[in-house]
Amino acid sequence: MDLRAMFHIHEQGEEEELLQKDSNPNHRHRERIFRPRISLFGLNEEEVRSRYRFSTEVILELYEQIQQDIEPNCERNHAVPGMVKLLSALHYFSSASFQGTVSALSGISQPSFSRHLTQVLKAINKLTPQYIVFPSDKTAIQTIKDGFHKMSAFPNVMGSIDCTHVALSPPTEDIYRNSKNFHSLNVQMVCASDMRILNLVAGYPGSTHDSYILKHSSLHSILTSGNLPEGWLLEWLLTPIKDPKTAAQKQYNAAHKAAHSAIERTFGSLKSRFRCLDRSGGVLQYSPEKGAQIILACCILHNLAVSRNLDVEIVDDLETPPPVPPVSKEENTQAGKQTRMRVINRYFT
């Protein structure tokens, strides 16, 4: 199939009806006008990457994976093609522009864009089991451990975990207001050393404490099941020493910082590629439920980009994350301190 056929590119776009007067001032008729729709034709590779954050090859690959879920199921001449829906969604994710701006640039109406975005989100999010997977077999886990050890000299790291906030248009519930006094979703992620996202929890309100999200996630059940080989997540159980005194403690802290930087780089890469997720690009003008769907879709697309070595420049105006309130004394058990001391004595002394 040639490129033009695959894209289903129409020379005309979304229908607009305008009232215009004819020669008789008492009569008016509707003239059907079609705006040109977006396509990849006419764009060089640099322009494609700049607008959509992906190469043409990867966009085509993604389109083939979700084509059956986004192509129109009718024979109407001017039905919106699946590629137009996908490109419109990618443009929104990358630019954080308002719906009206994206729809105008895409050649479709704003109501149509809203419907098609929902369709594209559903199609992309069906790929979750393929793209966001916390490993369960020893070989895959060892590969992740090797990656962290190579970058940081920290042993047995199965992932780096932390939370980040994605700003929302204020919902009616004040529970979404975070410690920096803006409304958000608090999103927990676990990543590998190469910034692949291994686990994601995207639905909690901004006021929810990070430790609560982990404790009530399926990941916590996996980690405490006893079925995984020896290993740990940073910063779950293993945290930095606040005032290191010995050479071993300082070496531990340095290795910990290097390993934990993977999740910080993941957040930076994700929000630089998809500006809709960072407050510097605006806030998600959607319900918390749809906001969580957008976050999931962007994380899937992030992993697709990582797997294809599509780097993105980290922008320098990303929002500073809200401070994390201290955990309660009940949660601050000795288990983490004991594990940390064993690690220091075994690997850093």
Side-chain angles (χ1 to χ4, degrees):
M1 182 183 298
D2 65 28
L3 198 60
R4 179 172 292 274
M6 176 175 284
F7 284 173
H8 298 278
I9 296 301
H10 290 219
E11 295 302 324
Q12 295 177 308
E14 186 76 357
E15 176 181 321
E16 290 183 345
E17 293 187 343
L18 303 178
L19 288 174
Q20 295 186 346
K21 293 183 179 180
D22 62 16
S23 58
N24 185 338
N26 296 320
H27 295 161
R28 291 194 291 179
H29 68 277
R30 294 182 183 271
E31 181 180 354
R32 302 173 69 189
I33 298 176
F34 299 91
R35 292 180 290 179
R37 288 176 178 151
I38 56 171
S39 76
L40 296 178
F41 288 105
L43 298 178
N44 61 41
E45 196 61 26
E46 183 179 352
E47 291 170 328
V48 173
R49 288 282 298 268
S50 175
R51 182 176 299 181
Y52 303 114
R53 301 295 193 268
F54 289 95
S55 65
T56 300
E57 180 182 4
V58 174
I59 290 175
L60 289 174
E61 177 186 346
L62 175 62
Y63 170 74
E64 288 183 333
Q65 292 183 68
I66 66 174
Q67 178 180 3
Q68 291 185 340
D69 293 317
I70 63 174
E71 281 297 340
N73 55 7
C74 65
E75 299 299 327
R76 187 165 63 90
N77 286 339
H78 297 286
V80 178
M83 179 57 78
V84 173
K85 299 174 186 177
L86 175 58
L87 293 178
S88 300
L90 291 178
H91 188 198
Y92 168 70
F93 297 153
S94 66
S95 68
S97 299
F98 290 109
Q99 279 193 13
T101 303
V102 175
S103 64
L105 293 173
S106 302
I108 57 179
S109 67
Q110 183 172 339
S112 292
F113 172 78
S114 183
R115 292 194 305 271
H116 301 326
L117 177 62
T118 299
Q119 189 178 12
V120 173
L121 287 173
K122 184 177 180 181
I124 293 176
N125 291 347
K126 285 174 64 174
L127 303 176
T128 302
Q130 179 179 340
Y131 283 98
I132 301 180
V133 181
F134 191 82
S136 57
D137 64 278
K138 292 183 178 180
T139 301
I141 292 175
Q142 188 59 50
T143 298
I144 293 173
K145 289 180 177 181
D146 292 342
F148 275 106
H149 191 267
K150 182 177 180 180
M151 70 172 286
S152 67
F154 207 110
N156 287 336
V157 178
M158 296 188 296
S160 183
I161 184 171
D162 211 336
C163 289
T164 188
H165 286 257
V166 175
L168 290 172
S169 179
T172 55
E173 304 91 339
D174 207 48
I175 192 173
Y176 288 92
R177 190 185 301 275
N178 61 38
S179 57
K180 286 190 73 173
N181 206 34
F182 67 87
H183 294 80
S184 67
L185 290 171
N186 193 6
V187 183
Q188 175 186 279
M189 294 185 205
V190 178
C191 75
S193 61
D194 61 358
M195 298 190 295
R196 277 182 301 122
I197 297 171
L198 306 175
N199 185 266
L200 172 72
V201 181
Y204 279 92
S207 65
T208 311
H209 196 284
D210 294 3
S211 62
Y212 180 91
I213 299 175
L214 175 59
K215 188 175 180 180
H216 292 82
S217 68
S218 59
L219 177 63
H220 188 269
S221 300
I222 295 172
L223 295 172
T224 57
S225 66
N227 296 326
L228 295 177
E230 181 188 20
W232 31 74
L233 297 182
L234 304 183
E235 295 187 344
W236 182 64
L237 281 183
L238 292 180
T239 57
I241 296 175
K242 290 184 178 180
D243 185 22
K245 302 202 183 308
T246 68
Q249 290 175 344
K250 292 177 182 178
Q251 186 180 355
Y252 164 87
N253 269 14
H256 186 287
K257 181 178 180 180
H260 190 256
S261 70
I263 192 67
E264 297 167 351
R265 290 185 291 109
T266 299
F267 291 155
S269 176
L270 178 69
K271 292 187 174 185
S272 295
R273 188 184 304 275
F274 304 116
R275 297 308 301 273
C276 70
L277 300 184
D278 191 71
R279 195 174 176 220
S280 62
V283 301
L284 294 179
Q285 303 289 330
Y286 298 100
S287 67
E289 293 75 19
K290 191 163 187 177
Q293 294 170 12
I294 291 172
I295 294 167
L296 173 58
C298 288
C299 289
I300 291 171
L301 295 174
H302 166 88
N303 276 4
L304 173 60
V306 170
S307 70
R308 299 301 181 268
N309 298 312
L310 295 177
D311 297 329
V312 63
E313 183 178 353
I314 307 297
V315 299
D316 56 10
D317 64 343
L318 296 178
E319 174 78 12
T320 303
V324 179
V327 297
S328 65
K329 291 183 179 180
E330 290 77 11
E331 292 182 85
N332 190 18
T333 65
Q334 293 297 314
K337 293 181 181 179
Q338 293 172 357
T339 302
R340 185 173 64 190
M341 287 308 302
R342 288 198 301 269
V343 171
I344 292 174
N345 291 334
R346 181 175 177 182
Y347 297 103
F348 296 96
T349 301

